[in-house]
Amino acid sequence: MTQSIPLGEDFPEIRAGIRKICADFPGAYWRDLDARQDYPSAFVSALTEAGYLAALIPEDYGGAGLPLRAASVILEEIHAAGCNAAACHAQLYIMGTLLRHGSAEQKRLYLPQIASGALRLQAFGVTEPSTGTDTTQLKTRAERQGDTYVVSGQKVWTSRALHSDLLLLLARTTPATETKRRGDGLSVFLIDIRTSLGKGLEIRPLPAMINHNTTEMFFDALRVPASQLIGEEGKGFRYILDGMNAERILIASEALGDARWFIRTAADYAKTRHVFDRPIGQNQGVQFPLARAHAETEAADLMVRKAAALFDAGEACGPEANMAKLLAADASWHAGEACMQTHGGFGLAREYDIERKWRETRLFQIAPISTNLILAYIGEHILGLPRSY
Ligand SMILES: Cc1cc2nc3c(=O)[nH]c(=O)nc-3n(C[C@H](O)[C@H](O)[C@H](O)COP(=O)(O)OP(=O)(O)OC[C@H]3O[C@@H](n4cnc5c(N)ncnc54)[C@H](O)[C@@H]3O)c2cc1C
């Protein structure tokens, strides 16, 4: 590894800037949106205007040109403040596919507009109802006809599609039966949602346990100009895999932020809530789960930092990115449980925000990749055990 791992509060200016913005978006703001399953437009605008969503876009295209670790800090701080970055986090990592594999013309056309906030690239359509985690078997077809592709099929759980201008879509350009390897024959397209709606693209909200603005997308012979293909036809799965390490590191950072919020909230409460004439935090049954969650969070933080340092040094980081996601998701879930239990009945009261954060952090066990699939990755790729699926 060529880069040392930053310890302590790195990027202090970013941390201070995010904390300042988040102070304007207290629990009541998120509770109200949660009840209505509505999009945090004001919060996303504040982050955009301050330039945080353009952190990873190179300066030549109007962004800040910062390393992934800076984005990791942004997302951790948002979640540690009790807010939620799910409404806009995708822009930070899916933009990488366009940056690494897009043509000079595509980058010139889109990146400056994304950096300025004129265009939102927030939607990433991979998951399908019938194939789930088995991404290489996805069925949405994009058939070349002259200078267009005709796209037909269905996606599920495409978050933010109704609040994004652009969609990064993974679709099949060669039937699975005609490919040599499972990942072959898939291609990535950058689709303009605004001009596609009603012309072969329909998007329906998918109400969920958390306010994630997620949707189902239906493609019925949508015509997409061939100029919207990213990179080479048939290599899309590889391009998407490239971006997945970044996604896992960033989502792990959100989980870390959640864990910190839960532990801080619970410790504050445990010091001040008196039952049986003493603070509940004096009881080891209350104290120890919080202490354990804190230790798990600090350990996960180290793995997140290691993964980000490797990524930013341009080195392979698959094992670290996956382990960071696994450990941080577990830390946040255990911290959420401890926080909920520490609050007794009040943990379930909406006004405390704990039940909302607890629901939100549960997602990290499932998406963007489930815990089982990370364990399977560690078993196969790190320990050299037989592939289990
Ligand atoms: C709120 C939310 C937002 C999302 N946003 C997006 C998005 O923006 N874009 C997008 O493309 N997708 C999105 N997803 C989809 C998400 O990535 C998938 O839900 C996730 O990858 C799991 O896939 P699945 O739901 O189809 O589960 P399945 O693949 O059906 O798996 C179900 C269960 O079986 C387990 N399992 C499956 N196979 C194995 C195996 N071989 N070994 C052990 N266990 C196994 C899994 O771990 C899981 O627990 C989102 C999902 C949610 C809930």
Side-chain angles (χ1 to χ4, degrees), residues 14 19 33 37 77 85 126 168 206 219 229 232 245 265 272 319 321 386:
I14 289 182
R19 285 172 189 162
L33 291 170
Q37 295 255 312
E77 288 295 339
V126 175
L168 206 65
L206 178 48
F219 299 88
L229 174 74
E232 279 180 55
N245 287 333
T265 304
T272 53

Side-chain angles (χ1 to χ4, degrees), residues 90 93 122-129 131-134 155-160 208 210 212 214 247 363 365-373 376 388-389:
Y93 50 78
Q122 290 290 359
F124 186 32
V126 175
T127 308
E128 297 192 358
T131 44
T133 308
D134 198 0
K155 295 284 173 183
V156 70
W157 296 117
T158 313
S159 302
R160 305 160 296 272
I210 54 173
H212 213 276
T214 196
E247 180 181 30
L363 174 68
Q365 295 289 334
I366 292 168
I369 180 169
S370 70
T371 300
N372 272 3
L373 269 293
S388 63
Y389 58 97

Side-chain angles (χ1 to χ4, degrees), residues 35 45 63 93 108 118 123 156 170 238 317 372:
S45 296
Y93 50 78
R108 193 193 55 74
V156 70
L170 188 65
R238 256 173 276 169
C317 64
N372 272 3

